[in-house]
């Protein structure tokens, strides 16, 4: 399932009300580790259909970023049934992300 | 879990990635273990302008290109944080998660880590207003006041970088002479958003329970103090080598940097060091890649002969 880029208006529907688990990534276009993680997420998106990968650009979605208290990018959240089950900051490799999603 | 290789590289910065290219091209079964994002300090560098052949490029781009290159000849990228190396006919590299990597030759290319200020309020506010990477976190401080600590090239360059977001940038320096290059000092001095405060030292970081709210600085000569109303603090007071896991091996100098010979080998046979983690005069991308190539080539020759 391709990676979904969303804005804050779509957040509730695409993330909190998603029927599939969501791997949520708050990123910035100017952040190095975010780009590295971005590549991993693209690959992960192409390889599986079990969970949804959603990306939020913090500079385009300031209110949402503030609401989620994001002060480091990348910040990733593992969400199931509208609840945050796990989270991490910084780059993570594919195997670790997959493991975290499988643990939900 | 145990994994066997010919050659293990710890750290995927420019030195480690270059060693991976040379070793895997020479046919060595090579692993590169990294605990963060591959790219090392390149990822924290806004722009590289001294990589020959490319006049200007974002550090991230060079990092991504190098990483792709480094794994293109079969070197394997492994995720892990190394806690110990045990010497032997096959060296064991033991990671925090229990994974053991085994190989006859090991290269340490772990680089350096930014030095902490070691003042009250610092540890609890890392990620809540204290950042050691202006390029990574600068944009969180749009329209706010921030302080950069230090008087070297990194401190001044990052201060200038931060002026594109921050309303005001204080530079706090212990002395009244700059360690930075003249061109960098001139650029900082002429920037209207920058205020340079000299002969002052950071004493305490204040917060409101959620986020940094100020920095208390003291002027030792005048015996007075001042509180700067900043919400962001960027310490650039130097760095220390990441060599904690080598302390029992007698390969470090008194500052913790690795001592290596011309082939980048330490006094322990087939244990190598490359890049910023080594005791050296110039720490740059170009000198790191040199080290990585020399080390990998030496490993190849020694393993081939054995």
């Amino acid at each position: 399932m391709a990676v979904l880029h969303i804005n804050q208006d779509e957040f509730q529907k695409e993330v909190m009300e998603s029927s599939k688990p969501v791997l949520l990534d708050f990123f910035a276009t100017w952040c190095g580790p975010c780009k590295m993680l971005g590549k991993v997420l693209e690959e992960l998106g192409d390889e599986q259909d079990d969970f949804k990968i959603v990306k939020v650009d913090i500079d385009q979605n300031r209110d949402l970023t503030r609401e989620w208290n994001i002060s480091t990018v990348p910040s990733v959240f593992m969400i199931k049934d509208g609840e945050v089950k796990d989270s991490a900051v910084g780059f993570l490799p594919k195997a670790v992300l997959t493991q975290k999603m499988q643990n939900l | 879990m145990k994994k066997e290789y010919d050659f293990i590289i710890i750290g995927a910065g420019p030195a480690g990635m270059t060693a991976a290219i040379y070793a895997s091209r020479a046919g060595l079964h090579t692993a590169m273990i990294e605990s963060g994002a591959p790219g090392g300090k390149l990822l924290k560098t806004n722009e590289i302008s001294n990589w020959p052949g490319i006049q200007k490029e974002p550090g991230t781009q060079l990092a991504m290109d190098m990483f792709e290159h480094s794994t293109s000849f079969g070197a394997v990228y492994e995720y892990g944080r190394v806690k110990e190396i045990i010497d032997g006919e096959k060296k064991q590299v033991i990671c925090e998660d229990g994974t053991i990597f085994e190989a006859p030759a090991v290269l340490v290319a772990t680089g350096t880590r930014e030095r902490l200020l070691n003042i009250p309020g610092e540890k609890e506010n890392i990620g809540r207003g204290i950042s050691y990477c202006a390029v990574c976190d600068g944009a969180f401080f749009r329209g706010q006041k921030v302080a950069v600590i230090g008087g070297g090239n990194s401190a001044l360059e990052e201060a200038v970088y931060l002026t594109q977001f921050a309303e005001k940038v204080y530079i706090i320096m212990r002395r009244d002479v700059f360690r930075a290059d003249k061109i960098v000092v001139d650029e900082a001095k002429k920037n209207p958003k920058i205020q340079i405060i000299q002969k002052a030292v950071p004493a305490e970081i204040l917060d409101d329970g959620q986020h940094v709210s100020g920095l208390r600085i003291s002027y030792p000569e005048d015996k007075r103090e001042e509180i700067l109303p900043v919400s962001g603090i960027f310490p650039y007071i130097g760095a220390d080598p990441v060599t904690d896991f080598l302390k029992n091996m007698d390969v470090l100098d008194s500052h913790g940097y690795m001592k290596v010979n011309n082939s980048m080998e330490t006094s322990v046979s087939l244990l190598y060091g490359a890049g910023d983690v080594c005791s050296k005069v110039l720490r740059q991308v170009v000198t790191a890649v040199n080290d990585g190539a020399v080390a990998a080539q030496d490993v190849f020759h020694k393993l081939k002969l054995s």
Side-chain angles (χ1 to χ4, degrees):
Chain A
M1 189 189 278
V3 173
L4 193 63
H5 286 254
I6 62 159
N7 61 41
Q8 46 204 30
D9 301 331
E10 301 159 310
F11 189 79
Q12 183 66 22
K13 179 170 160 276
E14 296 291 353
V15 177
M16 302 317 271
E17 292 167 14
S18 166
S19 56
K20 283 188 178 183
V22 176
L23 175 53
L24 170 66
D25 171 30
F26 283 92
F27 76 101
T29 52
W30 40 261
C31 145
C34 296
K35 288 183 187 160
M36 286 290 187
L37 183 66
K39 272 178 73 170
V40 171
L41 294 182
E42 293 288 339
E43 286 174 26
L44 209 47
D46 292 341
E47 287 167 13
Q48 60 77 43
D49 253 336
D50 302 332
F51 56 87
K52 197 158 139 182
I53 301 171
V54 176
K55 294 186 67 158
V56 174
D57 182 340
I58 61 157
D59 292 306
Q60 305 297 325
N61 300 280
R62 300 260 175 87
D63 294 341
L64 188 64
T65 302
R66 222 178 348 258
E67 211 177 291
W68 278 67
N69 252 331
I70 306 295
S71 63
T72 304
V73 278
S75 282
V76 292
F77 297 89
M78 291 75 190
I79 298 168
K80 194 180 177 187
D81 302 326
E83 256 183 71
V84 175
K85 301 284 189 189
D86 199 356
S87 66
V89 290
F91 174 88
L92 288 174
K94 204 180 344 180
V96 175
L97 287 168
T98 307
Q99 189 62 51
K100 279 180 177 287
M101 290 309 291
Q102 281 167 354
N103 287 346
L104 290 186
Chain B
M1 197 185 353
K2 195 182 261 190
K3 296 184 180 181
E4 291 196 32
Y5 288 94
D6 296 329
F7 183 33
I8 292 168
I9 299 161
I10 307 171
M17 292 194 286
T18 306
I21 293 171
Y22 277 75
S24 55
R25 283 197 75 197
L28 295 179
H29 185 36
T30 302
M32 195 164 54
I33 309 173
E34 169 62 52
S35 63
K41 291 240 165 16
L42 283 175
L43 294 177
K44 295 183 167 192
T45 309
N46 183 36
E47 204 169 73
I48 303 282
S49 47
N50 50 11
W51 179 251
I54 295 173
Q55 288 186 11
K56 243 184 202 183
E57 183 168 60
T60 323
Q61 189 57 50
L62 190 55
M64 288 171 74
D65 291 346
M66 272 194 198
F67 181 60
E68 219 153 87
H69 195 172
S70 72
T71 49
S72 64
F73 299 108
V76 180
Y77 157 65
E78 299 266 12
Y79 178 74
R81 190 176 292 276
V82 173
K83 67 168 189 185
E84 195 183 358
I85 298 179
I86 299 173
D87 191 27
E89 199 171 311
K90 283 206 163 174
K91 294 181 183 19
Q92 291 196 320
V93 176
I94 301 168
C95 291
E96 280 178 2
D97 68 355
T99 309
I100 299 173
F101 295 91
E102 261 189 7
V106 173
L107 168 67
V108 177
T110 44
T112 59
R113 185 187 293 136
E114 292 75 15
R115 196 170 292 158
L116 302 184
L117 296 169
N118 283 318
I119 57 172
E122 180 178 33
K123 288 221 167 90
E124 46 274 45
N125 285 306
I126 291 175
R128 304 201 302 176
I130 299 183
S131 166
Y132 302 87
C133 179
V135 174
C136 312
D137 301 329
F140 287 112
F141 299 91
R142 273 201 180 83
Q144 301 175 38
K145 296 187 175 76
V146 302
V148 171
I149 321 291
N153 278 325
S154 301
L156 270 62
E157 280 169 6
E158 302 302 326
V160 171
Y161 175 80
L162 284 166
T163 58
Q164 63 183 302
F165 308 109
E167 169 198 295
K168 182 169 186 99
V169 179
Y170 297 97
I171 297 176
I172 319 293
M173 346 178 357
R174 181 181 287 274
R175 300 188 301 161
D176 56 359
V177 277
F178 292 94
R179 275 182 294 116
D181 299 338
K182 187 176 179 299
I183 184 169
V184 182
V185 175
D186 289 347
E187 203 183 339
K189 276 184 173 168
K190 71 170 192 230
N191 191 308
K193 283 186 173 178
I194 291 181
Q195 180 182 340
I196 298 170
I197 299 178
Q198 296 181 320
K199 294 188 177 181
V201 291
E204 185 186 2
I205 289 160
L206 312 171
D207 64 67
D208 59 9
Q210 293 273 315
H211 204 271
V212 167
S213 58
L215 172 67
R216 183 162 64 83
I217 57 172
S218 77
Y219 297 83
E221 277 184 22
D222 305 345
K223 305 218 170 2
R224 67 183 175 94
E225 293 195 338
E226 181 182 1
I227 288 176
L228 303 174
V230 294
S231 52
I233 296 169
F234 294 83
Y236 281 96
I237 54 166
D240 293 310
V242 181
T243 51
D244 305 3
F245 60 93
L246 291 172
K247 289 230 159 90
N248 58 353
M249 294 196 86
D250 195 28
V251 294
L252 306 178
D253 71 10
S254 57
H255 299 288
Y257 288 97
M258 292 182 81
K259 292 184 290 184
V260 293
N261 62 19
N262 286 343
S263 305
M264 310 313 294
E265 194 175 19
T266 64
S267 57
V268 174
S269 172
L270 291 172
L271 177 67
Y272 293 78
D276 287 2
V277 76
C278 294
S279 174
K280 64 197 309 194
V281 181
L282 184 63
R283 292 191 171 82
Q284 291 284 302
V285 183
V286 291
T287 63
V289 301
N290 161 77
D291 294 357
V294 171
Q297 194 68 4
D298 198 62
V299 169
F300 171 67
H301 285 302
K302 289 202 169 120
L303 291 186
K304 196 176 71 173
L305 292 175
S306 66

